[in-house]
Amino acid sequence: MVGMRQFDEDEVIATALDVFWRKGLHDATMQDLAAATGVQRGSLYNAYGDKEAIFLRAFDRYAEEFLDAAGTALAQGDAAAGFRNFFDMIIVNMTDGSPPRGCLTTRTALDAAISSTDVRQRVQGVLNRLEQLIGKALSTAPNKRSAADANRLARVIVTFTRGLAVMERAGYSRKQLKETAATFIDAVVDDV
């Protein structure tokens, strides 16, 4: 039937997400996406417009799943346990796969200098929402901080997570990253 998609859109976006995660927005090609999804390039263009449009759909899916997982991790146990769960989730997320896939947000942020405004805004949106989740966890901890203090510390924690992503790309193991996160929690977060 004319106009009906002949593919499972959820499956195509999930597969495209994997391609973008492995190759990055700029290194992935429409041919890569077509080969991975089994959908002809022309059909992908007709359905989504262009590579960036597919990326934005895939990135939105990733962002929702990532932020849901982060919120769940932060909500488990007391504040210190929540942050331990959060860092474990972050580290497992970026060290999964063979070779490890890294952090899609950080990879995209590094590509954002040559990306569109839409891509940069999506990356900033994820990081802002992550700050909000962390700020909320900090402000509800027993040693409640003022909202301004919680927000400033939340930005430091988000910045630290980006540093972990860079260290992972530099070859640090999951074990080393977890040790680094534990030291950070001891030094910065345990007093929440």
Short mmCIF file of all heavy atoms in Angstrom, two decimals, residues 59 62-75 82-83 85-91 93-94 103-106 109 121-139 150-165 184:
data_model
loop_
_atom_site.label_atom_id
_atom_site.label_comp_id
_atom_site.label_asym_id
_atom_site.label_seq_id
_atom_site.Cartn_x
_atom_site.Cartn_y
_atom_site.Cartn_z
N PHE A 59 18.59 9.67 19.16
CA PHE A 59 19.13 10.32 20.34
C PHE A 59 18.03 10.61 21.36
O PHE A 59 18.24 10.45 22.57
CB PHE A 59 19.87 11.61 19.96
CG PHE A 59 20.64 12.21 21.10
CD1 PHE A 59 21.89 11.74 21.43
CD2 PHE A 59 20.10 13.24 21.86
CE1 PHE A 59 22.61 12.27 22.49
CE2 PHE A 59 20.81 13.79 22.92
CZ PHE A 59 22.07 13.30 23.23
N TYR A 62 17.41 7.41 23.16
CA TYR A 62 18.51 7.17 24.09
C TYR A 62 18.38 8.08 25.31
O TYR A 62 18.54 7.63 26.45
CB TYR A 62 19.84 7.44 23.37
CG TYR A 62 20.98 7.80 24.28
CD1 TYR A 62 21.69 6.82 24.97
CD2 TYR A 62 21.34 9.13 24.48
CE1 TYR A 62 22.73 7.16 25.82
CE2 TYR A 62 22.38 9.48 25.32
CZ TYR A 62 23.06 8.49 25.99
OH TYR A 62 24.08 8.83 26.84
N ALA A 63 18.10 9.36 25.10
CA ALA A 63 18.02 10.33 26.20
C ALA A 63 16.95 9.93 27.20
O ALA A 63 17.19 9.97 28.41
CB ALA A 63 17.75 11.73 25.65
N GLU A 64 15.79 9.55 26.72
CA GLU A 64 14.71 9.15 27.63
C GLU A 64 15.10 7.92 28.44
O GLU A 64 14.88 7.88 29.65
CB GLU A 64 13.42 8.90 26.85
CG GLU A 64 12.77 10.16 26.33
CD GLU A 64 12.53 11.22 27.40
OE1 GLU A 64 12.02 10.89 28.49
OE2 GLU A 64 12.86 12.39 27.15
N GLU A 65 15.66 6.93 27.78
CA GLU A 65 16.07 5.71 28.49
C GLU A 65 17.18 6.00 29.49
O GLU A 65 17.15 5.51 30.62
CB GLU A 65 16.50 4.63 27.49
CG GLU A 65 15.36 4.10 26.66
CD GLU A 65 15.79 3.18 25.52
OE1 GLU A 65 17.01 2.90 25.38
OE2 GLU A 65 14.91 2.75 24.76
N PHE A 66 18.15 6.79 29.07
CA PHE A 66 19.28 7.14 29.94
C PHE A 66 18.80 7.92 31.17
O PHE A 66 19.17 7.61 32.31
CB PHE A 66 20.31 7.95 29.15
CG PHE A 66 21.40 8.53 30.00
CD1 PHE A 66 22.42 7.73 30.49
CD2 PHE A 66 21.41 9.88 30.32
CE1 PHE A 66 23.42 8.26 31.28
CE2 PHE A 66 22.40 10.42 31.10
CZ PHE A 66 23.42 9.61 31.59
N LEU A 67 17.97 8.93 30.95
CA LEU A 67 17.50 9.75 32.07
C LEU A 67 16.59 8.97 33.00
O LEU A 67 16.63 9.16 34.22
CB LEU A 67 16.83 11.02 31.54
CG LEU A 67 17.79 12.00 30.85
CD1 LEU A 67 17.02 13.06 30.08
CD2 LEU A 67 18.75 12.62 31.85
N ASP A 68 15.77 8.08 32.46
CA ASP A 68 14.94 7.21 33.31
C ASP A 68 15.83 6.33 34.19
O ASP A 68 15.58 6.19 35.39
CB ASP A 68 14.01 6.33 32.47
CG ASP A 68 12.83 7.10 31.90
OD1 ASP A 68 12.56 8.24 32.33
OD2 ASP A 68 12.16 6.54 31.00
N ALA A 69 16.85 5.74 33.59
CA ALA A 69 17.78 4.88 34.35
C ALA A 69 18.53 5.68 35.40
O ALA A 69 18.72 5.22 36.54
CB ALA A 69 18.75 4.19 33.40
N ALA A 70 18.95 6.90 35.06
CA ALA A 70 19.66 7.75 36.02
C ALA A 70 18.75 8.10 37.19
O ALA A 70 19.17 8.04 38.35
CB ALA A 70 20.17 9.02 35.34
N GLY A 71 17.52 8.48 36.91
CA GLY A 71 16.57 8.82 37.97
C GLY A 71 16.29 7.64 38.88
O GLY A 71 16.23 7.79 40.11
N THR A 72 16.14 6.46 38.30
CA THR A 72 15.91 5.25 39.08
C THR A 72 17.11 4.95 39.97
O THR A 72 16.96 4.64 41.15
CB THR A 72 15.61 4.05 38.15
OG1 THR A 72 14.42 4.34 37.40
CG2 THR A 72 15.43 2.77 38.93
N ALA A 73 18.30 5.04 39.42
CA ALA A 73 19.52 4.77 40.20
C ALA A 73 19.65 5.74 41.36
O ALA A 73 19.96 5.33 42.49
CB ALA A 73 20.75 4.84 39.29
N LEU A 74 19.42 7.01 41.10
CA LEU A 74 19.56 8.03 42.16
C LEU A 74 18.53 7.85 43.27
O LEU A 74 18.78 8.23 44.42
CB LEU A 74 19.43 9.43 41.55
CG LEU A 74 20.63 9.92 40.75
CD1 LEU A 74 20.25 11.11 39.90
CD2 LEU A 74 21.81 10.24 41.66
N ALA A 75 17.39 7.27 42.96
CA ALA A 75 16.31 7.12 43.93
C ALA A 75 16.46 5.87 44.81
O ALA A 75 15.69 5.69 45.75
CB ALA A 75 14.97 7.08 43.20
N GLY A 82 22.41 6.09 46.42
CA GLY A 82 21.86 6.51 45.13
C GLY A 82 22.94 6.97 44.17
O GLY A 82 22.92 6.63 42.99
N PHE A 83 23.91 7.72 44.69
CA PHE A 83 25.01 8.17 43.83
C PHE A 83 25.93 7.01 43.44
O PHE A 83 26.43 6.98 42.31
CB PHE A 83 25.77 9.33 44.46
CG PHE A 83 25.06 10.62 44.26
CD1 PHE A 83 24.30 11.18 45.29
CD2 PHE A 83 25.07 11.27 43.03
CE1 PHE A 83 23.60 12.37 45.09
CE2 PHE A 83 24.38 12.44 42.83
CZ PHE A 83 23.64 13.00 43.86
N ASN A 85 24.89 3.93 42.96
CA ASN A 85 24.10 3.27 41.91
C ASN A 85 24.17 4.05 40.61
O ASN A 85 24.30 3.47 39.53
CB ASN A 85 22.63 3.14 42.34
CG ASN A 85 22.45 2.22 43.51
OD1 ASN A 85 23.19 1.26 43.69
ND2 ASN A 85 21.45 2.51 44.32
N PHE A 86 24.06 5.36 40.71
CA PHE A 86 24.11 6.23 39.54
C PHE A 86 25.44 6.08 38.80
O PHE A 86 25.47 5.88 37.59
CB PHE A 86 23.89 7.68 39.98
CG PHE A 86 24.20 8.70 38.92
CD1 PHE A 86 23.34 8.90 37.85
CD2 PHE A 86 25.34 9.48 39.02
CE1 PHE A 86 23.63 9.86 36.88
CE2 PHE A 86 25.63 10.44 38.06
CZ PHE A 86 24.77 10.62 36.98
N PHE A 87 26.55 6.17 39.53
CA PHE A 87 27.86 6.05 38.87
C PHE A 87 28.07 4.65 38.31
O PHE A 87 28.63 4.49 37.22
CB PHE A 87 29.00 6.46 39.81
CG PHE A 87 29.18 7.94 39.90
CD1 PHE A 87 28.92 8.61 41.09
CD2 PHE A 87 29.58 8.68 38.80
CE1 PHE A 87 29.07 9.99 41.17
CE2 PHE A 87 29.73 10.06 38.88
CZ PHE A 87 29.47 10.71 40.07
N ASP A 88 27.60 3.63 39.02
CA ASP A 88 27.71 2.27 38.47
C ASP A 88 26.95 2.17 37.15
O ASP A 88 27.45 1.60 36.18
CB ASP A 88 27.16 1.24 39.46
CG ASP A 88 28.12 0.90 40.58
OD1 ASP A 88 29.32 1.27 40.49
OD2 ASP A 88 27.67 0.26 41.56
N MET A 89 25.73 2.74 37.11
CA MET A 89 24.93 2.70 35.88
C MET A 89 25.64 3.44 34.75
O MET A 89 25.72 2.94 33.64
CB MET A 89 23.56 3.34 36.17
CG MET A 89 22.58 3.32 34.99
SD MET A 89 22.66 4.67 33.79
CE MET A 89 22.43 6.12 34.78
N ILE A 90 26.19 4.61 35.06
CA ILE A 90 26.91 5.40 34.04
C ILE A 90 28.09 4.60 33.49
O ILE A 90 28.30 4.53 32.27
CB ILE A 90 27.43 6.73 34.67
CG1 ILE A 90 26.30 7.62 35.09
CG2 ILE A 90 28.41 7.44 33.75
CD1 ILE A 90 25.80 8.57 34.05
N ILE A 91 28.87 4.01 34.37
CA ILE A 91 30.09 3.31 33.96
C ILE A 91 29.75 2.05 33.18
O ILE A 91 30.36 1.78 32.13
CB ILE A 91 30.98 3.02 35.19
CG1 ILE A 91 31.54 4.34 35.72
CG2 ILE A 91 32.10 2.04 34.84
CD1 ILE A 91 32.15 4.26 37.11
N ASN A 93 27.06 1.57 31.46
CA ASN A 93 26.50 2.05 30.20
C ASN A 93 27.60 2.35 29.18
O ASN A 93 27.49 1.97 28.00
CB ASN A 93 25.66 3.30 30.48
CG ASN A 93 24.79 3.71 29.31
OD1 ASN A 93 24.23 2.87 28.61
ND2 ASN A 93 24.67 5.00 29.12
N MET A 94 28.67 3.01 29.60
CA MET A 94 29.71 3.40 28.64
C MET A 94 30.73 2.30 28.37
O MET A 94 31.43 2.36 27.38
CB MET A 94 30.39 4.70 29.07
CG MET A 94 31.30 4.61 30.24
SD MET A 94 32.13 6.18 30.60
CE MET A 94 30.98 6.96 31.67
N CYS A 103 30.25 6.85 25.69
CA CYS A 103 29.08 7.64 26.08
C CYS A 103 28.57 8.40 24.85
O CYS A 103 29.29 9.23 24.30
CB CYS A 103 29.48 8.62 27.19
SG CYS A 103 28.16 9.78 27.60
N LEU A 104 27.35 8.12 24.46
CA LEU A 104 26.79 8.76 23.28
C LEU A 104 26.67 10.27 23.46
O LEU A 104 26.95 11.04 22.53
CB LEU A 104 25.43 8.16 22.92
CG LEU A 104 24.76 8.74 21.68
CD1 LEU A 104 25.60 8.49 20.43
CD2 LEU A 104 23.37 8.16 21.51
N THR A 105 26.28 10.72 24.64
CA THR A 105 26.13 12.16 24.86
C THR A 105 27.46 12.89 24.71
O THR A 105 27.55 13.91 24.04
CB THR A 105 25.53 12.43 26.26
OG1 THR A 105 24.29 11.73 26.37
CG2 THR A 105 25.28 13.91 26.47
N THR A 106 28.51 12.34 25.33
CA THR A 106 29.82 12.99 25.25
C THR A 106 30.36 12.93 23.83
O THR A 106 30.89 13.91 23.32
CB THR A 106 30.79 12.35 26.25
OG1 THR A 106 30.24 12.50 27.57
CG2 THR A 106 32.16 13.00 26.20
N ALA A 109 28.56 15.47 21.97
CA ALA A 109 28.97 16.82 22.38
C ALA A 109 30.28 17.21 21.72
O ALA A 109 30.45 18.36 21.31
CB ALA A 109 29.11 16.89 23.90
N GLN A 121 21.48 21.48 20.88
CA GLN A 121 20.39 21.68 21.84
C GLN A 121 19.97 20.37 22.47
O GLN A 121 19.66 20.34 23.67
CB GLN A 121 19.20 22.36 21.17
CG GLN A 121 19.43 23.82 20.88
CD GLN A 121 18.29 24.46 20.11
OE1 GLN A 121 17.46 23.79 19.49
NE2 GLN A 121 18.26 25.78 20.13
N ARG A 122 19.97 19.28 21.70
CA ARG A 122 19.61 17.98 22.27
C ARG A 122 20.62 17.56 23.33
O ARG A 122 20.26 17.08 24.39
CB ARG A 122 19.55 16.90 21.19
CG ARG A 122 18.40 16.96 20.23
CD ARG A 122 17.04 16.95 20.87
NE ARG A 122 16.00 16.38 20.08
CZ ARG A 122 15.52 16.85 18.95
NH1 ARG A 122 16.03 17.92 18.39
NH2 ARG A 122 14.53 16.25 18.35
N VAL A 123 21.91 17.75 23.03
CA VAL A 123 22.96 17.39 23.99
C VAL A 123 22.82 18.25 25.25
O VAL A 123 22.84 17.73 26.37
CB VAL A 123 24.36 17.54 23.36
CG1 VAL A 123 25.45 17.42 24.42
CG2 VAL A 123 24.56 16.51 22.27
N GLN A 124 22.67 19.54 25.07
CA GLN A 124 22.51 20.44 26.23
C GLN A 124 21.27 20.06 27.03
O GLN A 124 21.28 20.11 28.26
CB GLN A 124 22.44 21.89 25.77
CG GLN A 124 23.75 22.43 25.29
CD GLN A 124 23.63 23.83 24.68
OE1 GLN A 124 22.53 24.32 24.42
NE2 GLN A 124 24.76 24.46 24.45
N GLY A 125 20.22 19.68 26.34
CA GLY A 125 18.99 19.28 27.03
C GLY A 125 19.19 18.07 27.92
O GLY A 125 18.70 18.03 29.05
N VAL A 126 19.90 17.07 27.42
CA VAL A 126 20.17 15.88 28.23
C VAL A 126 21.00 16.25 29.44
O VAL A 126 20.70 15.83 30.57
CB VAL A 126 20.88 14.78 27.40
CG1 VAL A 126 21.41 13.68 28.29
CG2 VAL A 126 19.94 14.21 26.36
N LEU A 127 22.04 17.03 29.23
CA LEU A 127 22.91 17.41 30.35
C LEU A 127 22.16 18.27 31.36
O LEU A 127 22.32 18.10 32.58
CB LEU A 127 24.17 18.10 29.84
CG LEU A 127 25.07 17.22 28.96
CD1 LEU A 127 26.25 18.02 28.42
CD2 LEU A 127 25.54 15.98 29.70
N ASN A 128 21.31 19.18 30.89
CA ASN A 128 20.50 20.00 31.80
C ASN A 128 19.53 19.15 32.60
O ASN A 128 19.36 19.35 33.81
CB ASN A 128 19.75 21.09 31.03
CG ASN A 128 20.66 22.18 30.52
OD1 ASN A 128 21.74 22.40 31.04
ND2 ASN A 128 20.22 22.86 29.47
N ARG A 129 18.89 18.21 31.94
CA ARG A 129 17.94 17.34 32.65
C ARG A 129 18.66 16.44 33.64
O ARG A 129 18.15 16.18 34.73
CB ARG A 129 17.12 16.54 31.64
CG ARG A 129 16.11 17.45 30.92
CD ARG A 129 15.40 16.79 29.78
NE ARG A 129 14.66 15.61 30.17
CZ ARG A 129 14.27 14.67 29.31
NH1 ARG A 129 14.54 14.80 28.03
NH2 ARG A 129 13.60 13.63 29.73
N LEU A 130 19.86 16.00 33.29
CA LEU A 130 20.66 15.21 34.22
C LEU A 130 21.03 16.04 35.44
O LEU A 130 20.93 15.58 36.58
CB LEU A 130 21.91 14.66 33.53
CG LEU A 130 22.77 13.71 34.34
CD1 LEU A 130 21.99 12.50 34.82
CD2 LEU A 130 23.99 13.28 33.51
N GLU A 131 21.43 17.28 35.22
CA GLU A 131 21.71 18.20 36.34
C GLU A 131 20.49 18.34 37.25
O GLU A 131 20.62 18.35 38.47
CB GLU A 131 22.10 19.58 35.82
CG GLU A 131 23.53 19.74 35.45
CD GLU A 131 23.85 21.18 35.03
OE1 GLU A 131 23.32 22.13 35.66
OE2 GLU A 131 24.62 21.35 34.08
N GLN A 132 19.32 18.47 36.65
CA GLN A 132 18.10 18.62 37.45
C GLN A 132 17.84 17.39 38.30
O GLN A 132 17.48 17.51 39.48
CB GLN A 132 16.91 18.91 36.54
CG GLN A 132 16.96 20.28 35.89
CD GLN A 132 15.95 20.45 34.78
OE1 GLN A 132 15.20 19.54 34.44
NE2 GLN A 132 15.94 21.63 34.17
N LEU A 133 18.02 16.20 37.72
CA LEU A 133 17.83 14.96 38.49
C LEU A 133 18.79 14.89 39.66
O LEU A 133 18.41 14.55 40.78
CB LEU A 133 18.04 13.73 37.59
CG LEU A 133 16.96 13.39 36.59
CD1 LEU A 133 17.44 12.29 35.65
CD2 LEU A 133 15.69 12.95 37.32
N ILE A 134 20.04 15.22 39.40
CA ILE A 134 21.06 15.17 40.44
C ILE A 134 20.79 16.26 41.48
O ILE A 134 20.89 16.00 42.69
CB ILE A 134 22.47 15.30 39.83
CG1 ILE A 134 22.77 14.05 39.00
CG2 ILE A 134 23.52 15.52 40.90
CD1 ILE A 134 24.01 14.15 38.13
N GLY A 135 20.45 17.46 41.04
CA GLY A 135 20.12 18.54 41.97
C GLY A 135 18.97 18.17 42.89
O GLY A 135 19.00 18.45 44.10
N LYS A 136 17.97 17.51 42.33
CA LYS A 136 16.83 17.08 43.13
C LYS A 136 17.28 16.05 44.17
O LYS A 136 16.88 16.14 45.34
CB LYS A 136 15.75 16.47 42.22
CG LYS A 136 14.53 16.00 42.96
CD LYS A 136 13.51 15.40 42.01
CE LYS A 136 12.37 14.79 42.79
NZ LYS A 136 11.48 14.00 41.93
N ALA A 137 18.12 15.11 43.76
CA ALA A 137 18.61 14.10 44.71
C ALA A 137 19.42 14.76 45.82
O ALA A 137 19.33 14.37 46.99
CB ALA A 137 19.46 13.06 43.97
N LEU A 138 20.20 15.75 45.47
CA LEU A 138 21.01 16.45 46.47
C LEU A 138 20.15 17.27 47.42
O LEU A 138 20.41 17.33 48.62
CB LEU A 138 22.02 17.37 45.78
CG LEU A 138 23.16 16.70 45.03
CD1 LEU A 138 23.91 17.71 44.18
CD2 LEU A 138 24.11 15.99 46.00
N SER A 139 19.13 17.92 46.89
CA SER A 139 18.32 18.80 47.73
C SER A 139 17.37 18.04 48.65
O SER A 139 16.87 18.61 49.61
CB SER A 139 17.54 19.80 46.87
OG SER A 139 16.61 19.13 46.07
N ALA A 150 22.81 22.93 45.70
CA ALA A 150 22.53 21.63 45.07
C ALA A 150 22.73 21.72 43.55
O ALA A 150 23.31 20.82 42.95
CB ALA A 150 21.11 21.18 45.41
N ASN A 151 22.29 22.80 42.96
CA ASN A 151 22.43 22.96 41.51
C ASN A 151 23.89 23.11 41.09
O ASN A 151 24.31 22.57 40.07
CB ASN A 151 21.60 24.13 41.00
CG ASN A 151 20.11 23.86 41.11
OD1 ASN A 151 19.68 22.71 41.15
ND2 ASN A 151 19.32 24.90 41.18
N ARG A 152 24.67 23.85 41.87
CA ARG A 152 26.10 23.99 41.55
C ARG A 152 26.81 22.65 41.68
O ARG A 152 27.62 22.29 40.82
CB ARG A 152 26.74 25.05 42.45
CG ARG A 152 26.43 26.47 42.03
CD ARG A 152 27.33 27.49 42.72
NE ARG A 152 27.16 27.51 44.15
CZ ARG A 152 26.31 28.30 44.82
NH1 ARG A 152 25.57 29.16 44.15
NH2 ARG A 152 26.23 28.26 46.13
N LEU A 153 26.53 21.92 42.75
CA LEU A 153 27.17 20.61 42.92
C LEU A 153 26.68 19.64 41.84
O LEU A 153 27.47 18.83 41.33
CB LEU A 153 26.91 20.04 44.32
CG LEU A 153 27.58 18.71 44.63
CD1 LEU A 153 29.10 18.75 44.37
CD2 LEU A 153 27.30 18.30 46.08
N ALA A 154 25.44 19.74 41.45
CA ALA A 154 24.91 18.88 40.37
C ALA A 154 25.70 19.10 39.09
O ALA A 154 26.05 18.15 38.39
CB ALA A 154 23.43 19.16 40.15
N ARG A 155 26.03 20.36 38.78
CA ARG A 155 26.80 20.64 37.57
C ARG A 155 28.21 20.04 37.69
O ARG A 155 28.75 19.52 36.72
CB ARG A 155 26.88 22.14 37.31
CG ARG A 155 27.67 22.44 36.03
CD ARG A 155 27.38 23.77 35.46
NE ARG A 155 26.01 23.78 34.98
CZ ARG A 155 25.34 24.90 34.74
NH1 ARG A 155 25.91 26.07 34.91
NH2 ARG A 155 24.10 24.86 34.30
N VAL A 156 28.80 20.10 38.88
CA VAL A 156 30.12 19.50 39.09
C VAL A 156 30.04 17.99 38.87
O VAL A 156 30.91 17.39 38.21
CB VAL A 156 30.66 19.81 40.51
CG1 VAL A 156 31.88 18.99 40.85
CG2 VAL A 156 30.96 21.30 40.63
N ILE A 157 28.99 17.36 39.36
CA ILE A 157 28.84 15.91 39.21
C ILE A 157 28.64 15.55 37.74
O ILE A 157 29.25 14.59 37.24
CB ILE A 157 27.69 15.39 40.10
CG1 ILE A 157 28.10 15.54 41.58
CG2 ILE A 157 27.35 13.94 39.77
CD1 ILE A 157 26.98 15.32 42.57
N VAL A 158 27.81 16.31 37.03
CA VAL A 158 27.64 16.05 35.59
C VAL A 158 28.96 16.23 34.86
O VAL A 158 29.32 15.42 34.00
CB VAL A 158 26.52 16.94 34.99
CG1 VAL A 158 26.51 16.86 33.47
CG2 VAL A 158 25.17 16.53 35.55
N THR A 159 29.71 17.25 35.21
CA THR A 159 31.02 17.47 34.60
C THR A 159 31.94 16.30 34.87
O THR A 159 32.66 15.83 33.98
CB THR A 159 31.64 18.79 35.12
OG1 THR A 159 30.75 19.86 34.81
CG2 THR A 159 32.99 19.05 34.51
N PHE A 160 31.91 15.77 36.07
CA PHE A 160 32.72 14.61 36.42
C PHE A 160 32.32 13.40 35.56
O PHE A 160 33.19 12.66 35.10
CB PHE A 160 32.60 14.28 37.91
CG PHE A 160 33.37 13.06 38.32
CD1 PHE A 160 34.75 13.12 38.47
CD2 PHE A 160 32.73 11.85 38.55
CE1 PHE A 160 35.47 11.99 38.84
CE2 PHE A 160 33.44 10.73 38.91
CZ PHE A 160 34.82 10.80 39.06
N THR A 161 31.02 13.22 35.31
CA THR A 161 30.61 12.08 34.48
C THR A 161 31.17 12.21 33.06
O THR A 161 31.51 11.21 32.44
CB THR A 161 29.07 11.92 34.41
OG1 THR A 161 28.47 13.04 33.75
CG2 THR A 161 28.47 11.72 35.79
N ARG A 162 31.26 13.43 32.55
CA ARG A 162 31.85 13.63 31.22
C ARG A 162 33.33 13.28 31.26
O ARG A 162 33.88 12.74 30.30
CB ARG A 162 31.67 15.06 30.72
CG ARG A 162 30.24 15.59 30.59
CD ARG A 162 29.26 14.71 29.86
NE ARG A 162 28.65 13.77 30.78
CZ ARG A 162 27.98 12.68 30.41
NH1 ARG A 162 27.83 12.38 29.15
NH2 ARG A 162 27.43 11.88 31.29
N GLY A 163 34.00 13.62 32.36
CA GLY A 163 35.40 13.24 32.53
C GLY A 163 35.58 11.73 32.54
O GLY A 163 36.52 11.20 31.95
N LEU A 164 34.66 11.02 33.20
CA LEU A 164 34.71 9.55 33.18
C LEU A 164 34.59 9.03 31.75
O LEU A 164 35.29 8.08 31.38
CB LEU A 164 33.60 8.96 34.05
CG LEU A 164 33.76 9.03 35.55
CD1 LEU A 164 32.49 8.53 36.24
CD2 LEU A 164 34.98 8.24 36.02
N ALA A 165 33.72 9.66 30.97
CA ALA A 165 33.54 9.22 29.58
C ALA A 165 34.81 9.40 28.77
O ALA A 165 35.18 8.55 27.95
CB ALA A 165 32.37 9.99 28.94
N PHE A 184 35.60 9.87 44.09
CA PHE A 184 34.82 11.10 43.94
C PHE A 184 33.66 11.13 44.93
O PHE A 184 33.42 12.15 45.60
CB PHE A 184 34.31 11.20 42.49
CG PHE A 184 33.52 12.45 42.22
CD1 PHE A 184 34.16 13.66 42.02
CD2 PHE A 184 32.14 12.42 42.16
CE1 PHE A 184 33.43 14.82 41.75
CE2 PHE A 184 31.41 13.57 41.90
CZ PHE A 184 32.07 14.77 41.70
#
